[in-house]
Amino acid sequence: MGVQKKTRKFAQMKRTIKAHDERLKKAATKKETPKEDQLTRQITQAPSNMFFAANTALGPPYHVLVDTNFVSHAIRAKQDMLTSMMDLLYAKCIPTFSDCTIAELEKLGDKYRLALRVAKDPRWARLKCSHKGTYADDCIVDRVTKHRIYIVATNDQDLCRRLRKIPAGILGLTTALHLQSHLPATQTILLVARDFSHGPESLNYASAWAGAHFRPIPTSNPQLTQEGTQAQRTYTYFTRLAAQEPGSGVQSLPGIEYLESPPAEYLNAENIQTAYGYLDGFQQLQGEELPEGVKWGVKYSTFAVNPPVYCAWLLRQFVLRGGETMEYSVVDLREGFYLAEDVRTVVNCTGLGMGVMRGFLLLGVRQTCLVRNPCSVTITRQNGDGSWSFCIPRPLGGGTIVGGTKEPHNWDPNPSLETRAKLLDNAAKWFPFEEGSEGKFDVIRDIVGRRPAREGGMRIEAEKLSDGRGVIVHAYGAGGRGFELSWGIAEDVFNLMRENGLVKEKASL
């Protein structure tokens, strides 16, 4: 019986198909060639806060989102969570737990009671969750997708795979942050924007790629007088920010202006004192201090801003203080009253949006160049033909902006090589090149950005809706001066809202 079984099995083995049998070879498949008009590949554009090779939204103190598994593993390994994080990142860290993570630990029962006690440590930050469901992984992925300001601590391989697949203008960000710091706990802010600093680059969202520096303008009309007071208040804030928050992307450095054909307002001593007198180190240049051909010049202490870093820093501060955001394209400002519960006030800091459709704005296009050539000073130069040139270094190794042009009503989204050549030729005459550069610019990219400006100047006013739904507070139309007026405008918006009884100030202790 046993012999028969072995024989039968041996015969079955002999009948199997051999590895080199022709029947096992795959039939040759014909390669399809894509059609000429067929798009063969789509590449997702990198977010603007992923500036060059780094995420500019990350900066110490690092806020580390901790999941359930990480707490449990840290206890098993007998590791102090905070000490280990700081040893790894060489900076201050703030372990952060969401309501969903705490709820998940509570559901796991007595086995995770020690992990729950660690997660509820009062030293850690706590994130409130307003969404439905309490699945911690979904909560973490949602937060990291919306705001690239967190480091995630996890041992979950599935969560790691999900995280690896994750692909507001300056006035709106600044105003939201300023209002947030002055409102009581009973009033909250929802920041709604079509584009955020963590989103893809867009020529209609110019804040992230602006040539941002602080440069006063002598008063020649009531609008510039108002902008002068807003600029002065912003200068005071930047002074404090550069000293206390170097990671914000704001840096103090010398500023120089040379004018070959100065307008009349630059020749009025009173105007100059009003516009420049409050600046640290202000000095008007005379005689041999001026380059050949220059008739007017000043130097002072100013500020340069790295826009991607700074916008990400503002958004990070807003979110970490409990602010909520929503990516949404608003068609009509009245939509804002329906995007959350019990909305009584909508603050309109739109750029290309409501104002353009209603004819309030004069649209301008400005082309600049981002170059690798370093520079330690901002230089603004008026050429003999009346055109302007400037160079603005970007702090934290962000290159240098060389510009620029203003072309109202030019809707062409493409950069012009002819314009680039003209900009660089003008700047090459006075740019402080380093040795070895051979007096040439190393261009990284051309930048085209639309800066909406209002014909009558900035609009800051409250508009009560006829249906009694609420009040719209307008604050838009700064053109290319958004960064240097931002904190002054934010203060004016808050004061206007307070005068109209729209906000309640925090109680002072």
Side-chain angles (χ1 to χ4, degrees):
M1 193 63 155
V3 175
Q4 290 178 351
K5 285 186 178 180
K6 288 183 179 179
T7 304
R8 192 180 303 119
K9 185 176 181 181
F10 177 77
Q12 289 174 352
M13 291 296 295
K14 292 290 289 183
R15 288 197 297 270
T16 58
I17 299 176
K18 296 180 179 181
H20 54 78
D21 194 288
E22 292 290 336
R23 288 172 292 177
L24 292 179
K25 292 184 178 180
K26 295 182 180 180
T29 57
K30 185 178 179 181
K31 294 183 178 180
E32 296 183 1
T33 55
K35 299 178 181 179
E36 294 182 0
D37 58 345
Q38 184 177 354
L39 184 64
T40 58
R41 187 183 180 194
Q42 182 178 359
I43 301 176
T44 304
Q45 195 171 17
S48 60
N49 74 326
M50 302 299 288
F51 189 55
F52 294 152
N55 182 358
T56 59
L58 292 178
Y62 295 108
H63 287 74
V64 184
L65 269 179
V66 184
D67 79 336
T68 306
N69 288 330
F70 191 86
V71 182
S72 178
H73 280 75
I75 294 173
R76 291 178 185 177
K78 298 181 180 180
Q79 292 287 329
D80 182 87
M81 193 162 56
L82 180 59
T83 303
S84 300
M85 287 180 182
M86 294 179 67
D87 289 344
L88 176 65
L89 298 174
Y90 298 101
K92 181 180 178 181
C93 299
I94 302 176
T96 305
F97 291 84
S98 67
D99 287 345
C100 292
T101 303
I102 299 297
E104 191 173 86
L105 285 169
E106 290 174 345
K107 289 179 180 179
L108 290 173
D110 290 342
K111 186 178 180 181
Y112 286 82
R113 64 182 182 277
L114 184 56
L116 179 61
R117 185 184 303 174
V118 172
K120 289 185 175 181
D121 192 310
R123 293 178 297 169
W124 315 148
R126 182 76 173 265
L127 293 177
K128 295 182 179 180
C129 297
S130 57
H131 53 77
K132 296 181 180 179
T134 57
Y135 184 47
D137 286 7
D138 288 345
C139 175
I140 291 173
V141 171
D142 179 66
R143 289 184 181 276
V144 175
T145 302
K146 290 180 178 178
H147 310 296
R148 297 171 179 266
I149 63 175
Y150 298 107
I151 295 174
V152 178
T154 180
N155 298 82
D156 190 334
Q157 293 184 356
D158 290 335
L159 178 57
C160 289
R161 281 193 288 267
R162 292 179 67 183
L163 293 173
R164 291 192 188 103
K165 294 180 181 179
I166 294 176
I170 183 62
L171 292 185
L173 288 169
T174 308
T175 302
L177 187 58
H178 181 75
L179 291 176
Q180 185 186 52
S181 63
H182 287 78
L183 293 181
T186 55
Q187 291 183 294
T188 57
I189 300 174
L190 173 64
L191 181 60
V192 180
R194 180 189 59 197
D195 301 298
F196 281 99
S197 59
H198 61 264
E201 174 201 348
S202 167
L203 66 100
N204 292 325
Y205 174 60
S207 291
W209 292 100
H213 70 137
F214 188 91
R215 175 181 169 265
I217 296 178
T219 301
S220 59
N221 56 54
Q223 176 60 31
L224 288 178
T225 301
Q226 180 184 6
E227 291 183 4
T229 61
Q230 294 166 343
Q232 186 170 352
R233 284 175 281 159
T234 303
Y235 185 87
T236 301
Y237 186 86
F238 277 171
T239 301
R240 183 169 65 253
L241 193 62
Q244 299 176 0
E245 296 283 351
S248 65
V250 179
Q251 179 184 344
S252 176
L253 75 173
I256 300 176
E257 295 183 35
Y258 293 133
L259 278 63
E260 296 185 19
S261 179
E265 55 267 24
Y266 283 86
L267 302 178
N268 186 308
E270 185 178 350
N271 283 351
I272 297 303
Q273 185 60 33
T274 302
Y276 294 88
Y278 62 89
L279 302 177
D280 295 333
F282 169 66
Q283 179 184 353
Q284 192 152 0
L285 305 177
Q286 305 289 342
E288 296 180 354
E289 296 176 310
L290 298 173
E292 184 180 354
V294 174
K295 298 179 181 179
W296 186 92
V298 292
K299 65 178 182 180
Y300 47 85
S301 177
T302 186
F303 297 95
V305 179
N306 188 322
V309 176
Y310 182 57
C311 288
W313 181 85
L314 289 173
L315 183 60
R316 182 170 71 245
Q317 296 301 309
F318 177 76
V319 172
L320 294 177
R321 295 179 186 181
E324 295 186 11
T325 66
M326 176 188 295
E327 291 191 27
Y328 185 81
S329 295
V330 177
V331 177
D332 191 286
L333 290 174
R334 288 169 292 186
E335 286 185 71
F337 294 99
Y338 301 92
L339 297 180
E341 294 183 1
D342 197 27
V343 176
R344 297 300 179 191
T345 307
V346 172
V347 182
N348 171 28
C349 294
T350 55
L352 281 178
M354 306 305 106
V356 172
M357 290 190 291
R358 296 179 181 178
F360 289 124
L361 301 184
L362 174 66
L363 186 64
V365 175
R366 178 182 294 168
Q367 180 171 334
T368 58
C369 289
L370 178 63
V371 301
R372 289 188 176 86
N373 305 69
C375 183
S376 59
V377 59
T378 69
I379 301 176
T380 303
R381 179 119 180 187
Q382 183 210 36
N383 304 309
D385 60 359
S387 61
W388 293 80
S389 301
F390 57 80
C391 71
I392 306 168
R394 284 185 160 184
L396 305 177
T400 302
I401 292 288
V402 175
T405 65
K406 292 182 180 180
E407 305 169 46
H409 304 298
N410 184 343
W411 289 88
D412 187 357
N414 304 306
S416 165
L417 295 179
E418 182 181 350
T419 300
R420 178 215 275 190
K422 184 177 180 181
L423 292 176
L424 298 184
D425 286 344
N426 287 337
K429 300 173 184 177
W430 46 261
F431 188 85
F433 289 102
E434 285 189 331
E435 293 184 7
S437 63
E438 300 180 355
K440 296 181 180 179
F441 288 106
D442 184 3
V443 178
I444 298 174
R445 57 167 297 157
D446 298 293
I447 299 172
V448 173
R450 295 184 174 129
R451 277 78 167 178
R454 190 166 178 265
E455 289 182 321
M458 276 290 303
R459 184 189 184 194
I460 301 179
E461 62 179 350
E463 176 187 354
K464 294 183 180 180
L465 298 183
S466 57
D467 58 5
R469 178 68 188 180
V471 179
I472 298 176
V473 178
H474 299 282
Y476 64 89
R481 304 194 70 191
F483 282 87
E484 57 191 317
L485 305 181
S486 55
W487 287 98
I489 292 173
E491 290 181 6
D492 288 346
V493 169
F494 175 75
N495 292 335
L496 180 62
M497 294 175 67
R498 183 174 55 185
E499 292 170 5
N500 284 269
L502 303 175
V503 296
K504 301 175 182 178
E505 293 189 73
K506 285 185 177 179
S508 57
L509 299 177

